[in-house]
Amino acid sequence: MPAPTAYEQYMMELVNAARAVQGVQPLAFDFDLNESAELHSQWMIAVDQFSHEGANGSTPTQRIQAAGYQLTGSWTTGENIAWQSLRGAPGIQDDVYDLHVALMNSPGHRANILNGAFRELGIGVEVGAYQGYTGAFVTQNFARTGTAFFITGVAFDDLDGDVFYDVGEGLGGLTVTVVNTASGATASTTTYGEAGGYELAVAPGTYNVTFSGGGFASVTRTVTVGSANVKVDLVDPAAAGGGATPGNDSLTGTPLYGGAGDDTLTGTAGQNFLRGEDGNDRLLGGSAFDDLHGNLGDDAVFGGAAGDWVVGGQGQDSLFGEDGDDVVLGNLGQDTADGGAGNDVVRGGQGHDLIAGGFGADYMAGDRGDDTIAGGAGADTFHSFGEAGLDRILDFNRGEGDRVNLVAGTTYSFGQVGGDVVINMTGGGRIELIGVSMASLTGDWLTVG
C-alpha cells in the first residue's frame, strides 16, 4: 500500500485548505484509498483513456473495495479525476495546483471536495504520455466508513515563509503520539517519508498530540475530537538543543540558532544565548542577562531587561540594549545602536553608524567610519582614535559631565569652527561637537589614554 508522495500531500493540503474555508472537517489520508487512486491514474495513462470507468469496466467504489478499503456502517464514496499537459516550470507542483483549481471550478468536482460527509481521501498523482502529450493526472477517491474519526495533519519546514506546505518541505520519520487525557489510551504513528503527513484513528475525546524525534525538540498540542476530524500540523520545529530548520523560523527558548532564513528568536525569562546566523533575524532577550548575536544579515536585536551583550555582526543592524548596563556592538555594516537605560558601552564598529547612549553614563565609540553619535542624559564618554573617521557628536554637554577620550599617544588639535568645536587627529580622524562653544569646555573635557 503506497504512502502519499509529496505531490499528493500538497494536493491534500490544498483540499483541506478549501474545506477549512467552508468550515468542513479535514480529510485524512487512507493507504487503501491512495492505492485505488494511484492505480486508476496509472491505468488511464497506460490505456490512453480518461474516464471514471476503469479496468474491466470497474466503478470507483469497486476499485476502492478491490484495494482493500472496507465499507461498513453508513458508508459513502466519491471520485474526482483531472489531467493537463505539463507546464514549463520545473517539477509538477504548479501542475498539481492547476489541477486543484480546475476541479474547484467544476461544480460536481467541487461538491466532492467540499462534501462534509467524507472523512478520508486517497490521491493518485501520476505523470505519463497521453494522446501525444506528457500529462499530469490525478484521481481523488473520497470515502467514509465505520465510526472512527481522525487526528491528521502534516509536519513541514516552511522554507519559503508562506505558512503553507510545499513540495520539498515535508518532515518524514517524526513520531506522532496521541494520548487520551481521560483514559490514558495511547496510539502512535510516524510521518510519511518525503511527504510529512500522518493520521491516527481515534474515538471522541480530548488528546495530547506529541511530535518527537528526527533531531527536533518535542512539541505537544492538546485537541478535542467531537463529531469531526481534527487537523494538527507541526510547522518549523526547533532542533533539539535549540537549532532551527532552514527557512523562516519562529522559535522560543534557549539556546537558539536561527540558521538560514529570516528568523524570530525569543528568549526565556532567564539567561539566554541566541544566534541569528544567516538571514534578516529578530532576536528578543528576556529579563536576565542575554548573549545575543545577529551575525549575518540585517538584524534587529533587543536585549530586554538587565545587562546584555547585543551584537550585530555583518549587515545593517538595529541594536537595542534596552534596560540595564549593556554592551552594544555594531561590528560590520551601517548600524543603528542604542544603549537604552543604564550605563552602557555602545560601539559602532566598521561602517557609517548611528549611535545613541540613552539614559545613564555611557561609553560610546563610533570606531571606523563616519558616525553620528548622541549620548543622551548622563555623564557620557565619547571615545575615538586617529584613524576612526568623522564622529559627529550631537549633544555634547559638559554640564552633565560629558567628555572626549582619545587613544593613548594620539596627536591632536582643536578649536572653534563656526558654531562647533572641532578636534582634528593625526591619521585623519575628526570629532565635531555640534553646537558647542569653547567657552563651555572646562576641566578634563578631553583626556588621552
Side-chain angles (χ1 to χ4, degrees):
M1 293 182 292
T5 68
Y7 293 111
E8 291 161 357
Q9 186 72 50
Y10 175 63
M11 178 163 273
M12 173 65 93
E13 298 309 309
L14 294 172
V15 166
N16 277 334
R19 290 171 69 88
V21 170
Q22 300 299 317
V24 181
Q25 68 176 327
L27 298 176
F29 267 121
D30 177 85
F31 279 31
D32 293 326
L33 293 177
N34 230 58
E35 181 175 358
S36 69
E38 290 184 357
L39 288 175
H40 188 59
S41 291
Q42 292 167 8
W43 177 84
M44 287 190 290
I45 292 170
V47 302
D48 250 14
Q49 182 175 326
F50 181 71
S51 174
H52 286 289
E53 182 178 304
N56 302 315
S58 60
T59 67
T61 299
Q62 289 171 336
R63 292 192 294 274
I64 287 170
Q65 290 177 299
Y69 190 83
Q70 300 296 311
L71 297 174
T72 63
S74 178
W75 60 267
T76 184
T77 65
E79 182 176 84
N80 286 345
I81 58 174
W83 85 279
Q84 73 171 28
S85 60
L86 293 188
R87 304 301 191 248
I92 62 168
Q93 178 167 312
D94 60 320
D95 300 287
V96 173
Y97 179 81
D98 290 345
L99 292 170
H100 171 73
V101 171
L103 290 169
M104 286 293 290
N105 287 337
S106 169
H109 298 102
R110 178 187 175 92
N112 275 341
I113 290 173
L114 301 181
N115 187 338
F118 294 134
R119 292 186 197 145
E120 295 178 276
L121 175 61
I123 298 174
V125 174
E126 301 289 339
V127 175
Y130 177 73
Q131 297 186 358
Y133 299 93
T134 300
F137 278 70
V138 65
T139 301
Q140 298 175 334
N141 285 155
F142 303 87
R144 183 193 69 232
T145 189
T147 59
F149 297 100
F150 296 88
I151 296 175
T152 186
V154 65
F156 69 98
D157 178 23
D158 187 23
L159 296 174
D160 58 1
D162 64 354
V163 199
F164 193 82
Y165 176 91
D166 294 290
V167 173
E169 294 182 342
L171 297 175
L174 304 188
T175 299
V176 185
T177 305
V178 299
V179 180
N180 187 296
T181 59
S183 69
T186 301
S188 66
T189 188
T190 56
T191 56
Y192 315 130
E194 67 172 12
Y198 76 95
E199 66 280 324
L200 282 164
V202 296
T206 298
Y207 294 86
N208 290 329
V209 182
T210 300
F211 298 86
S212 61
F216 299 103
S218 294
V219 175
T220 298
R221 311 264 172 75
T222 301
V223 298
T224 297
V225 178
S227 58
N229 295 345
V230 174
K231 194 173 195 293
V232 183
D233 294 337
L234 178 67
V235 183
D236 284 339
T245 56
N248 304 329
D249 304 304
S250 182
L251 307 176
T252 300
T254 188
L256 296 176
Y257 303 84
D262 302 337
D263 307 307
T264 297
L265 309 181
T266 303
T268 65
Q271 298 184 7
N272 298 294
F273 183 93
L274 311 182
R275 294 292 185 268
E277 300 186 312
D278 293 349
N280 304 327
D281 304 310
R282 181 179 176 87
L283 279 62
L284 306 171
S287 56
F289 167 75
D290 304 307
D291 186 341
L292 314 177
H293 288 232
N295 290 340
L296 301 177
D298 302 338
D299 306 308
V301 186
F302 301 83
D308 307 303
W309 281 85
V310 179
V311 181
Q314 297 185 38
Q316 301 181 36
D317 304 309
S318 298
L319 311 172
F320 303 91
E322 301 188 299
D323 294 343
D325 300 338
D326 307 305
V327 176
V328 183
L329 307 176
N331 285 346
L332 302 175
Q334 299 182 31
D335 306 307
T336 298
D338 187 329
N343 304 323
D344 307 307
V345 174
V346 187
R347 306 193 68 145
Q350 297 185 40
H352 307 318
D353 306 307
L354 178 61
I355 299 172
F359 294 100
D362 304 309
Y363 179 95
M364 286 169 290
D367 293 330
R368 298 186 183 276
D370 298 339
D371 307 303
T372 300
I373 307 173
D380 302 311
T381 298
F382 302 91
H383 176 77
S384 193
F385 56 95
E387 295 78 26
L390 170 63
D391 291 332
R392 301 181 74 249
I393 301 173
L394 303 181
D395 63 344
F396 189 89
N397 187 332
R398 185 59 188 154
E400 290 184 347
D402 293 347
R403 63 177 183 167
V404 174
N405 172 257
L406 306 180
V407 168
T410 301
T411 302
Y412 65 91
S413 64
F414 61 82
Q416 192 80 42
V417 180
D420 309 320
V421 170
V422 176
I423 304 169
N424 290 303
M425 294 169 281
T426 301
R430 178 183 174 96
I431 299 172
E432 297 179 355
L433 308 181
I434 305 302
V436 174
S437 69
M438 286 294 303
S440 69
L441 300 179
T442 59
D444 60 348
W445 71 274
L446 175 59
T447 62
V448 179

